[in-house]
Amino acid sequence: MHTEKAFMPGLRTLMLAASVALVAALSPVPQAHAQAQAQIAISANAYGAVRKMDIELNKSMIVDLPAGVAEVIVSQPNVAAAIMRTRTRAIIQGVTGGDTNIFFLDDNGRTIQVLDLRVIEQPSMVGNALEAALARVIPGSRIRVESVTLSGDTNRVVLTGTVPTSEDKDRAQAIAIQFAGDPENVANVIDVSGAQQVMLQVTVSEIRRDVARQLGINLSGTATIGNVSLGFNSQQNSNLTSFTGTGNFPMGNLQIDATLKALENRNAARLLAQPTLTAMSGSKADFLVGGEIRYRIGTDQATGAPLYDFKDYGIKLNFTPTVKSNGTIGLMMDTEVSEPVAGDTLATRRASTTVELPAGTTLAIGGLLSERASRAADQIPGLANIPILGALFRSNEYRSQQTELVILVTPYMVTPSPLNSIPVPTDTKTISSDAEAIFLGRLEHMYGVGATGEFRSGYSGSVGFVLD
């Protein structure tokens, strides 16, 4: 038992001594590394050579030379200073940022060494704080900040590196302006590494239903009593083209003409427009398929001639996409579908809004459900109020209009496709020949190729003819 007790303290002592020896062996390494940066020794083999050196502003470095120095020449004393402690040891000090060179000459006037020196200014505290703020506020960014303090509180900032989106680039610019104090003091050369092309598909879908019914009788007649002739006429106005039936009823000196008008009109219209447009994030894109309509705006006072102006109509799409840092897409958009109607006017469906949604999803930005019904009666006062017979002296008209409209938007993140990989409507459509048009009545080939004789997109699978 005593031997074990004596052995255990000896083992602890041995382990402690080994640990101390290991720490002592490792601790001089950083000191030697620091000394290597603060002091250099030039060997005799490098006699007369040129050596490039960097030194930080307001720092010093010891240089040991292979021979005694008789003369020291500093080309830019305001950038760096050389102090000779002995004939073979010099102390180099960085005075201000810039470049200079230092010549060491021996007793015979030969060059011992030429130091091509660059004094590096210390990183600005503003630059360090800004770089840390950008790394914290913009995840996934790799932004480097170069900052120089000119005078007083004036800082010039240069932003380099990469960010995922253009929105992150703008945010970095805004943050840097707060540190620099003025937009003129910030140079933003950050590159955007993420995908930045956005394709927007807008769907404008509309259904219209119109119903109109009309039923009425127009009576007219004349009556002759002696030398006096009397006449009457009940004419109902209508803007609709209707079925008309007439009848003539002569009764002695009384002549009655009756006209029956009846109409039932039904209209249905379907509108579907799907414009698609691609733009870079942060850039505006315009799209228009249609034409121009002329409308009168006034009269020339000198000549009396009418003055006209032109207005676009058709399918129009304007939008500005912005890819957000969280992966969503912000859209500032203005879409319009218009068509000319009677009276040199336009029937227009328009939507302008700002929305944000993930790529590949659909959002309804506008919609309309409208239903209008009206009934009108034209009648002869007094006579139209007679029960049953009063129907001969009035005309009824009923109108109903229903409209359903919805506008959908779907953004996509897109990249370019290989050549001829996207099919287009003209791939398999060619105009028929004169013989086909005359004898077969065809306007285009059932199967055709492009003008170059090549298909833009090929067929997959087995194609050809089957012979039994």
Side-chain angles (χ1 to χ4, degrees):
M1 296 295 294
H2 294 285
T3 304
E4 187 176 354
K5 291 181 180 179
F7 176 75
M8 293 301 293
L11 181 59
R12 294 191 184 96
T13 304
L14 181 60
M15 294 179 61
L16 179 60
S19 301
V20 172
L22 181 60
V23 173
L26 295 178
S27 58
V29 174
Q31 296 175 1
H33 181 66
Q35 186 178 3
Q37 291 184 345
Q39 181 177 358
I40 61 172
I42 300 174
S43 64
N45 295 331
Y47 206 97
V50 178
R51 185 186 185 99
K52 292 183 177 294
M53 291 176 50
D54 291 339
I55 186 174
E56 293 184 4
L57 180 66
N58 299 325
K59 297 294 180 67
S60 299
M61 179 182 294
I62 298 176
V63 179
D64 292 325
L65 301 165
V69 178
E71 185 178 1
V72 180
I73 302 174
V74 181
S75 61
Q76 296 291 335
N78 59 336
V79 175
I83 302 174
M84 298 302 301
R85 300 295 297 174
T86 65
R87 293 195 63 188
T88 59
R89 172 167 289 187
I91 299 177
I92 309 300
Q93 295 179 340
V95 179
T96 185
D99 297 330
T100 185
N101 50 11
I102 302 176
F103 295 84
F104 297 96
L105 306 179
D106 60 12
D107 295 333
N108 298 323
R110 295 181 303 171
T111 301
I112 301 174
Q113 189 75 194
V114 177
L115 300 181
D116 193 353
L117 191 64
R118 181 178 65 173
V119 179
I120 303 174
E121 294 187 6
Q122 295 179 351
S124 171
M125 298 301 294
V126 173
N128 293 339
L130 176 57
E131 188 167 324
L134 293 176
R136 183 176 63 257
V137 174
I138 306 177
S141 64
R142 297 180 179 179
I143 303 176
R144 293 179 57 87
V145 179
E146 302 291 339
S147 177
V148 177
T149 302
L150 299 181
S151 60
D153 297 332
T154 303
N155 295 280
R156 292 290 177 87
V157 175
V158 179
L159 304 179
T160 59
T162 60
V163 292
T165 65
S166 59
E167 183 192 28
D168 293 334
K169 181 177 180 180
D170 296 336
R171 292 169 63 188
Q173 172 87 9
I175 295 173
I177 291 174
Q178 298 300 318
F179 279 78
D182 193 302
E184 298 295 332
N185 295 335
V186 178
N188 190 350
V189 290
I190 297 176
D191 295 327
V192 179
S193 59
Q196 293 297 298
Q197 294 188 131
V198 178
M199 182 182 72
L200 179 64
Q201 183 183 71
V202 179
T203 301
V204 181
S205 178
E206 182 185 20
I207 295 293
R208 294 197 306 269
R209 304 181 184 91
D210 297 336
V211 177
R213 292 195 297 268
Q214 184 185 45
L215 178 63
I217 298 178
N218 295 336
L219 296 177
S220 62
T222 59
T224 303
I225 302 175
N227 295 328
V228 179
S229 296
L230 302 176
F232 66 92
N233 184 16
S234 64
Q235 182 71 32
Q236 286 81 30
N237 295 324
S238 175
N239 296 324
L240 302 176
T241 301
S242 58
F243 169 79
T244 303
T246 60
N248 190 343
F249 307 97
M251 293 179 293
N253 294 330
L254 180 63
Q255 179 75 26
I256 299 177
D257 297 325
T259 302
L260 175 65
K261 288 188 176 182
L263 168 70
E264 183 173 359
N265 186 17
R266 297 177 180 268
N267 294 324
R270 176 178 182 269
L271 171 66
L272 177 63
Q274 286 186 315
T276 301
L277 189 60
T278 303
M280 289 290 294
S281 176
S283 300
K284 183 180 180 181
D286 299 328
F287 176 86
L288 173 63
V289 175
E292 292 184 337
I293 185 173
R294 187 182 71 168
Y295 63 97
R296 184 170 179 174
I297 60 174
T299 304
D300 190 344
Q301 298 296 332
T303 62
L307 299 177
Y308 295 93
D309 199 357
F310 293 87
K311 182 177 179 59
D312 295 333
Y313 72 90
I315 302 173
K316 184 186 300 184
L317 174 61
N318 303 325
F319 85 108
T320 302
T322 302
V323 180
K324 304 292 184 178
S325 57
N326 59 358
T328 60
I329 301 175
L331 298 174
M332 297 178 58
M333 58 167 298
D334 181 3
T335 183
E336 178 181 312
V337 177
S338 58
E339 57 187 355
V341 294
D344 294 335
T345 59
L346 295 176
T348 305
R349 303 94 176 161
R350 180 186 297 116
S352 300
T353 185
T354 301
V355 295
E356 181 176 333
L357 65 163
T361 60
T362 300
L363 179 66
I365 63 169
L368 173 65
L369 178 61
S370 174
E371 183 175 356
R372 291 180 294 177
S374 64
R375 182 178 294 276
D378 297 331
Q379 60 186 13
I380 299 176
L383 297 180
N385 297 328
I386 300 175
I388 301 176
L389 296 179
L392 302 176
F393 302 95
R394 61 175 176 263
S395 175
N396 289 284
E397 182 177 341
Y398 170 78
R399 290 177 179 269
S400 174
Q401 295 179 338
Q402 294 179 344
T403 301
E404 297 180 26
L405 172 67
V406 64
I407 301 176
L408 308 176
V409 294
T410 306
Y412 300 93
M413 300 295 298
V414 294
T415 56
S417 300
L419 180 64
N420 294 336
S421 61
I422 301 178
V424 296
T426 56
D427 283 342
T428 58
K429 300 295 182 181
T430 57
I431 302 299
S432 62
S433 62
D434 291 341
E436 289 177 315
I438 295 174
F439 296 106
L440 300 179
R442 294 177 181 172
L443 301 180
E444 60 184 20
H445 285 298
M446 295 181 61
Y447 302 98
V449 297
T452 60
E454 298 179 356
F455 284 102
R456 288 173 52 89
S457 57
Y459 293 99
S460 60
S462 300
V463 295
F465 297 94
V466 177
L467 301 178
D468 295 332

